[in-house]
């Protein structure tokens, strides 16, 4: 399957600042990537579907102006959390859509907003 | 709305015990079903998947799952667990009407295996 990396693995920032998280598909051309959010002891919640060269599709309740997604190439999608607040602290995970509905997941990025 | 329900939040077993983790989904049509595992500090990995055919699916590391359409279930099983199976297990569903291949995850089951 595809190898997916995320950078950074952990980030701590001050309230009001913006944070960019990168998701890279290392050995697979990813037309579609997904961004998830995982709270402690809870499931993964899909935030948005990122399609290369077009605007991301956001799930209901996810603020597109707060969580900016850019999928400029077949190997890179970025999630920018703008004006982060403590309630945005979470584990953010990306995945790459492989063939036949299979997704390959990155290792996640733990964001802590002070 | 589609949903996936995992009955057990936390399961504690001794090594060599048998495992069964429950998963039920709400969608009535054709679905693709998955079990993912997340070992401590690692990323989600696919254990097994069911799309069609034999409802008993075998995955990696000795895991298997059985699709029972009449019960809307896709329970995960392993005859004899090992300490290294300690992890979080997620059941997930994609339906053909779920545009774009979006995965809907269950709440997850934390498995702790005592050596």
């Amino acid at each position: 399957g595809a190898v997916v990396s995320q950078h950074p693995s952990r980030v701590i920032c001050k309230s009001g600042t913006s944070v960019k998280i990168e998701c890279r598909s290392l050995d697979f051309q990813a037309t579609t990537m997904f961004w998830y959010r995982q709270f402690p002891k809870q499931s993964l919640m899909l935030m948005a579907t990122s399609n290369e060269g077009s605007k991301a599709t956001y799930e209901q309740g996810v603020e597109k102006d707060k969580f900016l997604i850019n999928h400029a190439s077949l190997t890179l999608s970025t999630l920018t959390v703008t004006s982060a607040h403590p309630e945005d602290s979470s584990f953010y995970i990306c995945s790459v859509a492989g063939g036949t509905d299979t997704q390959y997941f990155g290792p996640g990025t733990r964001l802590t907003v002070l | 709305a589609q949903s996936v329900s995992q009955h057990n939040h936390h399961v504690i077993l001794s090594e060599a015990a048998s495992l069964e983790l429950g998963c039920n989904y709400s969608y009535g049509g054709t679905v693709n079903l998955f079990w993912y595992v997340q070992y401590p500090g690692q990323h989600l990995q696919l254990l097994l998947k069911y799309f069609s055919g034999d409802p008993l699916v075998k995955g990696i590391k000795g895991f298997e799952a059985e699709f029972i359409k009449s019960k809307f279930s896709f329970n995960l099983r392993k005859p004899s667990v090992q300490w290294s199976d300690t992890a979080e297990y997620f059941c997930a569903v994609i339906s053909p009407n779920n545009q774009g291949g979006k995965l809907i995850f269950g709440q997850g089951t934390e498995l702790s295996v005592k050596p």
Side-chain angles (χ1 to χ4, degrees):
Chain A
V3 178
V4 182
S5 70
Q6 284 184 239
H7 178 79
S9 58
R10 294 175 182 269
V11 57
I12 301 172
C13 69
K14 292 182 179 179
S15 185
T17 61
S18 294
V19 175
K20 180 185 282 188
I21 302 169
E22 294 184 347
C23 176
R24 292 185 184 274
S25 176
L26 301 182
D27 58 353
F28 186 83
Q29 292 194 321
T31 304
T32 301
M33 292 184 176
F34 300 91
W35 285 97
Y36 295 85
R37 184 172 179 176
Q38 185 181 26
F39 291 103
K41 301 296 184 182
Q42 294 188 31
S43 185
L44 283 78
M45 300 299 296
L46 179 66
M47 298 175 66
T49 302
S50 168
N51 293 298
E52 188 266 337
S54 63
K55 290 183 179 180
T57 304
Y58 290 82
E59 294 300 299
Q60 192 172 12
V62 178
E63 298 175 62
K64 62 180 181 181
D65 294 330
K66 180 166 185 64
F67 299 100
L68 300 178
I69 291 173
N70 184 284
H71 192 160
S73 78
L74 289 171
T75 59
L76 174 65
S77 175
T78 60
L79 168 68
T80 301
V81 183
T82 62
S83 187
H85 292 285
E87 57 266 29
D88 298 323
S89 298
S90 190
F91 197 52
Y92 292 87
I93 302 172
C94 72
S95 71
V96 165
T100 59
D101 282 343
T102 300
Q103 292 184 26
Y104 302 98
F105 288 83
T109 296
R110 184 162 302 285
L111 170 64
T112 303
V113 185
L114 302 176
Chain B
Q2 273 183 280
S3 67
V4 179
S5 177
Q6 293 181 237
H7 314 302
N8 312 101
H9 183 66
H10 190 187
V11 173
I12 302 173
L13 294 173
S14 298
E15 276 195 314
S18 64
L19 169 72
E20 181 160 2
L21 301 182
C23 173
N24 286 91
Y25 59 93
S26 63
Y27 186 69
T30 304
V31 293
N32 292 342
L33 298 153
F34 304 80
W35 274 98
Y36 282 89
V37 61
Q38 188 174 30
Y39 296 104
Q42 296 189 31
H43 61 277
L44 276 164
Q45 299 173 42
L46 181 66
L47 265 181
L48 48 79
K49 59 186 177 184
Y50 172 80
F51 289 171
S52 63
D54 189 343
L56 185 61
V57 180
K58 294 194 183 298
I60 61 172
K61 304 187 180 186
F63 286 91
E64 65 179 31
E66 184 175 11
F67 170 55
I68 302 179
K69 189 175 181 179
S70 61
K71 295 184 178 181
F72 300 94
S73 69
F74 190 55
N75 292 355
L76 181 71
R77 299 195 292 250
K78 185 170 183 178
S80 176
V81 296
Q82 301 173 316
W83 177 78
S84 58
D85 293 323
T86 295
E88 188 94 19
Y89 292 81
F90 293 96
C91 181
V93 170
I94 294 178
S95 79
N97 291 337
N98 188 339
Q99 296 174 357
K102 295 186 295 186
L103 278 169
I104 299 173
F105 283 89
Q107 306 93 318
T109 298
E110 182 181 353
L111 172 65
S112 299
V113 180
K114 298 182 293 184

